[in-house]
Amino acid sequence: MKTKTNDWTSVNPSDEEVSTTRQELDERMLVVRSQRGEKAAFGELVRRYMQRAYFTALGITGSGEAALDLSQDAFIRAYRAIKKFEPGRPFFAWYYQILRNLCFNYLRDRKRHAAPFSEIGESRLSQISDVLQRPDEALQRKEIQEAVWQAMNRLKPEEREILILREFEGYSYNDIAGMLTIPVGTVMSRLYYARKSLRDQLSDRLKDPV
Amino acid sequence: MIQKHEQFRLLMMKALDGELSPQEETEFQQFLQEKAFRREWLEFKQLKEVTQGMKFKYPPQEVWDSYWMNVYNRLERGLAWILLSIGAIIFLSYGLYQLFHVVVNGSELPLLLRVAIVALVIGTAILLVSVIREKLFVRKRDPYKEVQQ
C-alpha cells in the first residue's frame, strides 16, 4: 500500500513491495549473468525455483522420480536457451513453459502409473473429517485423500495442472495466467470446470452439503 | 441467464480462493440468495475443504542438497556427449573408409575373408542399433520402472 500525499518523495512503498522489487532486480541480474555463461548465477536461479518446479511436476506426473528428472531436464533446457530469454520477464513463468511441455510429453509417451497419494502426499490439516459421510477419522481422511488423488488422476492433464497450481502450490490467478499465457478470466473459468469435474467424480464420497 | 451463471462462477472461484474484493463480496452474497447458486457454492466449498487439507510430501533434504549438482553434472555431460559423438563419428567414418579400401582393393585377401569381414561389420552394426533402440524404448515405456526391487 502506498501512502497518498502531495509530496511525491514521501510515497512509501511497503516492506513487501520493496522486497518484491529487490527480488525482481536480483533475478534480473542472475538472468543476465547466466546469459553471459556464469553457471553459478544459473545455479542460484535453480536453487530458488527447484522446489516449486519439483512439486508442480509431481502434481502433473504423479511420480516423484519423473518429477525430479523432468524438472532438472527443464532447467538444463532453460540454461541452453537462456540467451533467448528477455531478462525483465519472470524467470519461473518462462521456465514453466519448458517444464509443462516436458511433463505433458511424458504423460503422452507413457501410460501413466501415478503413485498413490499415500506415497507422495500427506495431510495438511485435520479438518477433513467434517465433510465425510462416516465419522471415522484418520482412516477416513486417508481414504478421502486417496479418492481425491485418484479422481485427480482421471482428470484431463490441463484440468489437473490448474488444480495443482492453485490448490497445492497456491499460485495467484495472475501468476497462473503468466505461467500458462492465458487471461485471468480463462484461469478462473478453467478452475471452475476442473473443480466441477473433480466434485462430480467424488459425489458419492462427499456428504450432501445442503 | 448464461451470462448470470458465468458471472456467478467467476465470483465463486474468487470466493473460494479468497480473492474477492468487498464490492464483489456483496455481489456474491446476492447470488447466494438463490437456492441453486447456494447449493453449488456449498458443494464447491466442501471440495475446497478437502483439497486444502492435502499437500505433497517433502522429499528428503538430500534431494535438494544434490539438486543443482545433478543439473550441473548433466549440463557438463551434455557437452561431453556432443564432443564424444563428434569424435566417434569421425573415427568410425575413417575406420569404415579404411575397411572399405581393404575389402574392395585389398587384392591379397581371399574373397571368403572379404565376405566375412563385410558380414561381421554389417551384423555388428545391426545388432548394436537394435539393442540401443530396444533399451531406449523399454526405458521410455516401462510401467514398472519405478517399482523398487
Side-chain angles (χ1 to χ4, degrees), chain A residues 47 51 63 65 69 71 76 118 120-124 131 167 173 192-193 195 199 207-208, chain B residues 9 13 17 19 39-40 46 48-49 51-55 57-58 67-68 72 74 140 146:
Chain A
R47 281 189 205 97
Q51 298 197 4
S63 153
E65 194 184 323
D69 188 42
S71 62
I76 292 167
S118 47
I120 61 167
E122 60 192 356
S123 293
R124 199 191 296 265
V131 292
E167 302 289 349
Y173 291 164
Y192 170 81
Y193 286 107
R195 283 171 167 156
R199 166 75 212 182
K207 276 194 234 170
D208 186 343
Chain B
R9 286 170 181 172
M13 290 304 103
D17 296 319
E19 298 212 14
R39 185 185 177 85
E40 195 171 14
Q46 193 186 41
K48 177 79 182 181
E49 280 165 21
T51 52
Q52 237 175 7
M54 294 167 70
K55 64 170 185 169
K57 265 183 197 161
Y58 205 79
Y67 192 98
W68 162 239
Y72 184 86
R74 283 168 69 175
K140 234 180 177 182
E146 281 149 32

Side-chain angles (χ1 to χ4, degrees), chain B residues 21-60:
Chain B
S21 68
Q23 195 189 340
E24 287 170 330
E25 174 71 40
T26 314
E27 201 183 336
F28 184 60
Q29 289 303 327
Q30 280 169 356
F31 271 114
L32 293 184
Q33 302 300 316
E34 285 188 40
K35 204 178 164 186
F37 287 142
R38 183 162 179 78
R39 185 185 177 85
E40 195 171 14
W41 160 242
L42 290 174
E43 283 178 355
F44 273 73
K45 205 171 140 208
Q46 193 186 41
L47 180 69
K48 177 79 182 181
E49 280 165 21
V50 175
T51 52
Q52 237 175 7
M54 294 167 70
K55 64 170 185 169
F56 291 122
K57 265 183 197 161
Y58 205 79

Side-chain angles (χ1 to χ4, degrees), chain A residues 1-60:
Chain A
M1 286 289 285
K2 286 177 182 169
T3 314
K4 269 194 172 178
T5 62
N6 293 329
D7 178 8
W8 68 273
T9 53
S10 58
V11 172
N12 298 320
S14 68
D15 288 349
E16 201 182 328
E17 278 176 326
V18 170
S19 155
T20 310
T21 315
R22 267 191 203 138
Q23 216 172 1
E24 281 166 6
L25 282 173
D26 189 26
E27 180 171 303
R28 200 191 168 102
M29 285 287 281
L30 289 173
V31 168
V32 171
R33 284 171 54 201
S34 302
Q35 287 178 326
R36 286 190 208 129
E38 283 183 46
K39 286 201 177 94
F42 189 72
E44 275 307 304
L45 286 171
V46 171
R47 281 189 205 97
R48 190 176 283 190
Y49 294 115
M50 63 187 177
Q51 298 197 4
R52 281 205 216 179
Y54 169 80
F55 286 117
T56 313
L58 178 62
I60 298 174

Side-chain angles (χ1 to χ4, degrees), chain B residues 7-106:
Chain B
Q7 176 64 6
F8 169 70
R9 286 170 181 172
L10 297 186
L11 287 175
M12 182 165 66
M13 290 304 103
K14 284 188 166 186
L16 283 171
D17 296 319
E19 298 212 14
L20 277 181
S21 68
Q23 195 189 340
E24 287 170 330
E25 174 71 40
T26 314
E27 201 183 336
F28 184 60
Q29 289 303 327
Q30 280 169 356
F31 271 114
L32 293 184
Q33 302 300 316
E34 285 188 40
K35 204 178 164 186
F37 287 142
R38 183 162 179 78
R39 185 185 177 85
E40 195 171 14
W41 160 242
L42 290 174
E43 283 178 355
F44 273 73
K45 205 171 140 208
Q46 193 186 41
L47 180 69
K48 177 79 182 181
E49 280 165 21
V50 175
T51 52
Q52 237 175 7
M54 294 167 70
K55 64 170 185 169
F56 291 122
K57 265 183 197 161
Y58 205 79
Q61 187 56 37
E62 301 86 73
V63 168
W64 306 127
D65 293 343
S66 58
Y67 192 98
W68 162 239
M69 219 34 189
N70 288 338
V71 174
Y72 184 86
N73 287 340
R74 283 168 69 175
L75 262 174
E76 258 188 352
R77 278 174 206 160
L79 181 68
W81 275 112
I82 292 170
L83 293 174
L84 198 76
S85 304
I86 292 171
I89 288 168
I90 295 170
F91 187 71
L92 280 173
S93 306
Y94 183 75
L96 284 173
Y97 173 77
Q98 289 299 327
L99 186 75
F100 179 77
H101 260 277
V102 169
V103 172
V104 174
N105 302 329

